[in-house]
Amino acid sequence: MHKLLLALFFTSFSLHFINAQQPQKPTASEIHQNIKKLNFLGSVLYLAAHPDDENTRLISYMANHVHARTAYLSLTRGDGGQNLIGPEIRELLGVIRTQELLTARAIDGGEQRFTRANDFGYSKHPDETLAIWNKDQVLSDVVLAIRQFKPDIIINRFDHRSPGTTHGHHTTSAMLSVEAFDITNDSSKFPEQLQTTSVWQPKRLFFNTSWWFYGSQEKFDKADKSNLLAVDIGTYYPTIGLSNTEIASLSRSQHKSQGFGNTGTRGTQQEYVELLKGDMPADKTNIFDGINTTWSRVKGGQAIGDILYQVEESFDFTNPSASIPELMKAYKLIQSLEDNHWKTLKSEEIKNIIAACSGLYLEAVAETNHATPGETINLNIEAINRSPIAMTLKQYNTGIVAVSKNMTLGNNINLAFQETLKISNSQNVTTPYWLTEKGSLGMYRVENPALIGKPETPRIFNVTFDLIIENTPVSFTKPIVYKTNDPVKGEVYKPFEIIPEASAKITEKVIIFENNNSKDIPVVVKAGRDNLQGTVTLAYPNEWKISPKNQDIHITNKGETQTVIFTVTPPKNQNEGLISPIVTVNGKSYTKELIDIDYDHIPFQTVLLPSESKIVRLDIKKMGQNIGYIEGAGDVVPESLQQIGYNVTTIAPENISPETLSHFDAIVVGIRAYNTVETLKFKQQILFDYIKNGGTMVVQYNTSHRLKTEQLAPYDLELSRDRVTDEFADVKFLNPKHPVLNYPNKITETDFEGWTQERGLYFPHKWDKAFTPILSMHDKGESAKKGSLLVAQYGNGYYIYTGLSFFREFPAGVSGAYRLFANMLSIGKTTQPLND
């Protein structure tokens, strides 16, 4: 986290900044940059569909060069993507990508907003997207974002006029933006919003175009650009020694779960926007031309501007505190503004600038990062003024009690206090607000309308410091945080969060029973407080048997766990259902799992989700026993194969050798391995020789972009972007007598029931005649796609390439996916099946 903080150049006072990171300690250059932003009264809203869709170059340019208040509205949180850094998918991936966006905005200077739309996966057309999203709700959220943010300018990332040419979510985002532009000033549209906000009419709507949308640079060069504006986003910032595009690359590189690490560029670079609605600026290099962005924009603002423009002009980089008397004069005038929107925004901005100029440091640290309802925790409170400016700490308020102090904050004299914080017995636990209620495939359910659009759950516990600065009352509110010292990382901050007194999890989210034998299932119970006593039971389907009926728990210390074992016996025939642990403490039941998400590039996250695992009595046979697995971008294939009785060994790419491979009945290559593992391009011939000598090799999907080698297979094989997004799409057997469909398991149409999110992705579209296509499938209105499963005999063995989304189906416990994969691993083997 330290490296990240060093990169936060221009965002010292951004209100959206991640609460749980270290306190901001801006330099004089950063303070001056924020004074420039204070003196610019204009806003830009950039709008697209997913995390990583945003143009960080343009966002950074608007925030740091133009000095406009800039935000990115992402319709979704990216739950439907792939995760290149860990095993989290769906809801947990959405939490990661939310925080990656917040971290990116902390670098490029923007703010972040969302709608309630759920990223359900790839969509080929807006019609398909809007059949799953609730259009009225998503449009309402876009209108709400515009009314709350009040942008002068909206910039769409995608073109609303080209449905079917890109991701359906992309085009839909632009279509909704265009529609919202025309109705945000209409009080009859979504009138319930007007209880907390007001109507608003943006001045201009643009489409952020480029040569890519024209098909080639040559076509773009020849295109009519009379309706386009061009800005040079390659500007250089000498105060920090970086170009705008270098900052944008740092921001873009925070999308680590999607593998979007980016190298900075330097030099002039044109960015184009096409006017869709509103008046064309006379100066086509100035997107705000003709829009008043000075303090005279608001009634009573001229006097404020007279003060603050002079502060900007005369700022002393060696003594920022010299600006405080004039800043305080402006602060008092801002409090009298009639325009509540700008009054609220500029009050916070100028307060934080005053704090930075004085070196004011205010902090409230809890003794623990977790507490439970009813618990009392200790707080350490610190206040220090590192300037000669006269300040008094009148009081601080913990939200429970106001503590009067009336103490002088002398220059560089540290004041430290200890308080206690009593957590209410009825206090809600901390978790991402959009996950507290069960939503639909296309929409999150958010019961509290005040939360809609917010990037994360607002911090519950804060301390407000009431100060007197230059004889004027000023209050600063700081979230309570937790900090500790790590021997390697040094000072580490985490958010202070409320957790339940008990939580439980079953480690395996899918448990496969490949025969009638019972399995011992461990349940891990975690204590949120000391001296936790209670019982654990399991909820389970009627056809299954569980023993014992309950287990006692007694955990002495908060944060510790106790594991209890239940024996689960499956029915004789194929069957599936859910089991859920229930922890009962003093008559109260707890059914959720406490999940920690801990990556260095984002703040520590605590997520509560329903604790449940899928149990599957699977009618399955298999051949072979020992499987070698080569990791790619991350999936749960090894664990899933172990569930059905295989011995799975992970092979480090550098250890691939004839000797190593000789021990395995089959080799499985993880998803996107040929996109992410450089070493594989040097090991292909060894793998091909393994196949020739009688081995089986199964390669899961890769993308055609940034392949480490063009020789994926021992025969010609060309990847495409072909995919089937409809998980219910009909599947036809092109070669119904092929062994992969018949041995050792008879694959039928029922094996393709219950698939989730999609059938598959990035299928090959050209292949050597040595390959046999097995399946045909397609989305509505499209031609048949025959590349989802290709099998080729090579020497004495078999090479199989599949774009079927096993990486999604295994975590969902889809029976047919397991049966088909077992056949793929069994191909060419003639001994008796293990389960016969």
Side-chain angles (χ1 to χ4, degrees):
M1 198 61 76
H2 294 276
K3 291 181 179 179
L4 170 60
L5 288 166
L6 293 174
L8 304 183
F9 304 109
F10 288 139
T11 55
S12 299
F13 313 116
S14 300
L15 301 180
H16 64 279
F17 189 62
I18 302 166
N19 293 323
Q21 292 194 26
Q22 291 192 3
Q24 301 149 10
K25 303 166 186 176
T27 66
S29 293
E30 292 166 346
I31 295 171
H32 190 245
Q33 179 75 5
N34 282 281
I35 293 173
K36 291 181 179 179
K37 290 186 178 182
L38 180 66
N39 284 331
F40 191 94
L41 279 69
S43 302
V44 177
L45 183 66
Y46 198 90
L47 194 150
H50 310 106
D52 72 44
D53 282 346
E54 83 277 29
N55 184 342
T56 57
R57 300 180 304 276
L58 198 52
I59 289 175
S60 179
Y61 178 85
M62 291 297 168
N64 299 313
H65 182 75
V66 178
H67 303 126
R69 184 179 180 228
T70 308
Y72 174 42
L73 175 59
S74 176
L75 297 197
T76 76
R77 296 177 185 267
D79 308 57
Q82 289 87 50
N83 185 359
L84 299 188
I85 61 173
E88 298 90 354
I89 58 175
R90 292 302 308 154
E91 294 91 347
L92 295 179
L93 177 58
V95 173
I96 291 173
R97 298 190 73 185
T98 293
Q99 292 300 321
E100 288 180 335
L101 270 179
L102 285 168
T103 306
R105 295 295 78 75
I107 291 173
D108 60 36
E111 301 179 32
Q112 186 60 52
R113 291 172 178 252
F114 293 95
T115 75
R116 288 170 288 174
N118 192 346
D119 179 6
F120 56 83
Y122 193 86
S123 168
K124 293 183 176 179
H125 196 279
D127 291 346
E128 178 187 350
T129 300
L130 293 174
I132 297 175
W133 286 353
N134 182 316
K135 181 191 174 182
D136 285 345
Q137 287 185 4
V138 183
L139 179 60
S140 168
D141 292 356
V142 174
V143 170
L144 179 64
I146 295 171
R147 286 173 172 174
Q148 289 178 337
F149 191 73
K150 302 191 184 309
D152 299 296
I153 291 165
I154 298 175
I155 303 175
N156 293 342
R157 182 56 173 143
F158 299 104
D159 187 0
H160 67 289
R161 299 159 296 194
S162 53
T165 61
T166 182
H167 197 321
H169 297 182
H170 292 170
T171 311
T172 301
S173 71
M175 292 167 62
L176 293 176
S177 176
V178 171
E179 185 172 350
F181 185 91
D182 291 332
I183 64 174
T184 54
N185 203 31
D186 184 345
S187 60
S188 69
K189 304 296 184 182
F190 309 111
E192 69 282 356
Q193 297 177 359
L194 302 181
Q195 298 176 25
T196 57
T197 188
S198 59
V199 295
W200 179 253
Q201 183 56 59
K203 306 291 193 302
R204 294 165 184 154
L205 175 65
F206 293 95
F207 160 45
N208 185 192
T209 191
S210 71
W211 68 264
W212 190 86
F213 291 97
Y214 286 75
S216 70
Q217 184 66 53
E218 182 181 7
K219 291 180 180 179
F220 181 66
D221 291 341
K222 295 178 180 178
D224 177 11
K225 298 183 179 63
S226 59
N227 206 36
L228 303 187
L229 276 71
V231 293
D232 181 2
I233 48 85
T235 185
Y236 175 67
Y237 304 114
T239 55
I240 60 168
L242 290 174
S243 67
N244 183 74
T245 45
E246 286 174 310
I247 294 173
S249 293
L250 290 169
S251 172
R252 184 72 171 167
S253 295
Q254 300 315 306
H255 295 299
K256 298 184 187 301
S257 64
Q258 301 302 292
F260 283 143
N262 202 269
T263 299
T265 60
R266 287 146 295 280
T268 183
Q269 185 174 330
Q270 296 296 307
E271 192 74 47
Y272 294 89
V273 292
E274 176 190 354
L275 182 69
L276 300 178
K277 291 178 179 288
D279 61 302
M280 174 65 76
D283 179 358
K284 289 190 175 183
T285 66
N286 179 5
I287 201 168
F288 276 95
D289 184 44
I291 299 173
N292 186 1
T293 59
T294 70
W295 274 103
S296 65
R297 175 176 188 157
V298 294
K299 183 180 179 182
Q302 184 64 53
I304 299 169
D306 290 343
I307 296 171
L308 291 179
Y309 297 134
Q310 184 58 39
V311 170
E312 179 183 335
E313 181 69 25
S314 61
F315 182 75
D316 186 346
F317 286 83
T318 64
N319 182 21
S321 65
S323 297
I324 292 178
E326 293 301 298
L327 287 168
M328 289 304 304
K329 290 179 183 177
Y331 172 77
K332 286 189 286 186
L333 291 174
I334 291 172
Q335 305 319 298
S336 300
L337 287 177
E338 296 178 10
D339 188 318
N340 193 59
H341 174 70
W342 288 113
K343 174 183 175 180
T344 301
L345 292 174
K346 295 304 179 180
S347 291
E348 287 301 311
E349 287 183 32
I350 196 169
K351 279 199 312 181
N352 288 318
I353 290 172
I354 291 165
C357 286
S358 64
L360 181 65
Y361 186 93
L362 305 170
E363 186 172 70
V365 178
E367 63 182 345
T368 176
N369 66 314
H370 289 151
T372 56
E375 187 176 354
T376 299
I377 59 112
N378 295 321
L379 294 179
N380 292 312
I381 295 174
E382 180 181 353
I384 184 170
N385 164 31
R386 292 171 287 187
S387 78
I389 299 299
M391 290 190 192
T392 300
L393 174 60
K394 184 178 179 181
Q395 68 173 18
Y396 53 75
N397 192 327
T398 65
I400 305 298
V401 61
V403 181
S404 179
K405 288 299 177 182
N406 292 313
M407 298 177 67
T408 298
L409 286 176
N411 188 358
N412 212 29
I413 305 300
N414 192 21
L415 299 182
F417 312 99
Q418 285 75 45
E419 298 293 339
T420 58
L421 180 68
K422 171 68 175 177
I423 311 298
S424 167
N425 289 316
S426 60
Q427 180 61 57
N428 291 332
V429 296
T430 307
T431 195
Y433 71 85
W434 61 94
L435 299 179
T436 57
E437 302 289 340
K438 185 175 179 60
S440 64
L441 174 63
M443 299 297 298
Y444 291 118
R445 182 179 173 185
V446 180
E447 294 293 337
N448 183 355
L451 294 175
I452 293 174
K454 293 186 181 296
E456 56 186 345
T457 305
R459 289 293 150 191
I460 300 169
F461 293 100
N462 305 278
V463 172
T464 298
F465 297 82
D466 294 327
L467 273 60
I468 304 295
I469 304 176
E470 292 277 300
N471 299 314
T472 301
V474 185
S475 296
F476 296 88
T477 298
K478 301 291 182 180
I480 295 175
V481 297
Y482 169 74
K483 69 177 179 181
T484 187
N485 185 72
D486 182 273
V488 176
K489 299 178 182 178
E491 192 175 55
V492 175
Y493 278 72
K494 289 184 179 180
F496 173 67
E497 301 190 319
I498 306 303
I499 62 172
E501 62 178 341
S503 57
K505 69 176 180 179
I506 300 172
T507 304
E508 300 293 341
K509 295 307 174 189
V510 175
I511 304 169
I512 304 296
F513 293 77
E514 75 275 17
N515 52 41
N516 296 330
N517 296 336
S518 301
K519 286 188 178 184
D520 288 340
I521 305 300
V523 176
V524 181
V525 180
K526 187 172 185 177
R529 63 169 175 83
D530 294 337
N531 299 315
L532 183 75
Q533 297 186 58
T535 59
V536 186
T537 58
L538 289 180
Y540 58 94
N542 291 332
E543 298 85 353
W544 296 67
K545 296 180 179 179
I546 306 287
S547 65
K549 294 298 182 184
N550 58 69
Q551 300 262 33
D552 292 333
I553 55 164
H554 184 187
I555 305 175
T556 303
N557 297 313
K558 172 182 179 178
E560 290 184 346
T561 62
Q562 180 179 339
T563 301
V564 294
I565 305 296
F566 289 89
T567 300
V568 179
T569 304
K572 292 183 179 180
N573 298 320
Q574 186 158 314
N575 187 280
E576 60 185 53
L578 296 174
I579 56 171
S580 303
I582 304 169
V583 182
T584 303
V585 179
N586 296 326
K588 187 172 183 179
S589 296
Y590 298 92
T591 60
K592 291 193 174 182
E593 175 182 356
L594 186 68
I595 303 166
D596 293 337
I597 298 178
D598 192 6
Y599 291 100
D600 285 343
H601 69 298
I602 59 174
F604 184 89
Q605 299 293 299
T606 299
V607 184
L608 275 168
L609 291 177
S611 182
E612 58 186 24
S613 293
K614 188 173 184 179
I615 47 176
V616 180
R617 168 61 176 96
L618 185 59
D619 179 14
I620 190 171
K621 299 179 177 66
K622 57 187 183 297
M623 302 293 295
Q625 185 67 44
N626 298 312
I627 307 299
Y629 176 76
I630 301 171
E631 290 184 336
D635 55 43
V636 294
V637 170
E639 298 89 337
S640 301
L641 296 181
Q642 288 169 345
Q643 287 271 8
I644 57 175
Y646 284 108
N647 297 325
V648 183
T649 302
T650 298
I651 306 171
E654 60 270 18
N655 293 333
I656 295 173
S657 67
E659 172 60 24
T660 301
L661 299 182
S662 66
H663 301 292
F664 299 108
D665 299 304
I667 300 295
V668 177
V669 182
I671 61 172
R672 297 182 67 173
Y674 289 103
N675 296 127
T676 58
V677 183
E678 189 78 23
T679 306
L680 278 181
K681 67 182 179 182
F682 305 114
K683 300 292 184 176
Q684 283 296 82
Q685 192 55 53
I686 297 174
L687 290 165
F688 296 159
D689 289 343
Y690 162 79
I691 302 169
K692 184 182 291 186
N693 293 329
T696 297
M697 180 177 173
V698 178
V699 177
Q700 298 179 88
Y701 96 92
N702 292 267
T703 69
S704 57
H705 182 56
R706 294 183 179 177
L707 278 170
K708 302 299 183 182
T709 177
E710 296 298 324
Q711 193 177 6
L712 290 179
Y715 303 109
D716 289 341
L717 184 70
E718 186 175 324
L719 302 183
S720 73
R721 298 185 63 84
D722 288 350
R723 61 201 302 162
V724 176
T725 61
D726 182 2
E727 63 267 41
F728 304 107
D730 290 338
V731 178
K732 296 182 179 180
F733 296 168
L734 297 174
N735 289 273
K737 295 183 179 181
H738 194 281
V740 80
L741 294 176
N742 292 277
Y743 188 76
N745 304 287
K746 178 67 175 179
I747 303 300
T748 68
E749 292 180 358
T750 60
D751 288 297
F752 290 93
E753 295 177 358
W755 284 53
T756 64
Q757 187 162 324
E758 62 203 357
R759 289 297 190 195
L761 63 171
Y762 298 108
F763 300 158
H765 66 150
K766 295 180 181 178
W767 51 82
D768 189 272
K769 63 181 181 180
F771 283 103
T772 299
I774 305 299
L775 307 172
S776 174
M777 57 189 73
H778 62 88
D779 284 321
K780 183 179 179 179
E782 293 191 352
S783 61
K785 305 296 185 288
K786 300 180 180 181
S788 64
L789 180 58
L790 302 173
V791 181
Q793 187 166 4
Y794 181 66
N796 295 321
Y798 288 86
Y799 176 95
I800 299 176
Y801 188 93
T802 179
L804 294 172
S805 57
F806 290 103
F807 74 103
R808 296 199 190 280
E809 312 317 318
F810 284 169
V814 177
S815 300
Y818 281 91
R819 286 164 44 84
L820 178 57
F821 210 93
N823 280 15
M824 290 157 55
L825 296 176
S826 302
I827 193 167
K829 309 209 172 26
T830 57
T831 57
Q832 192 71 6
L834 293 176
N835 293 41
D836 273 9

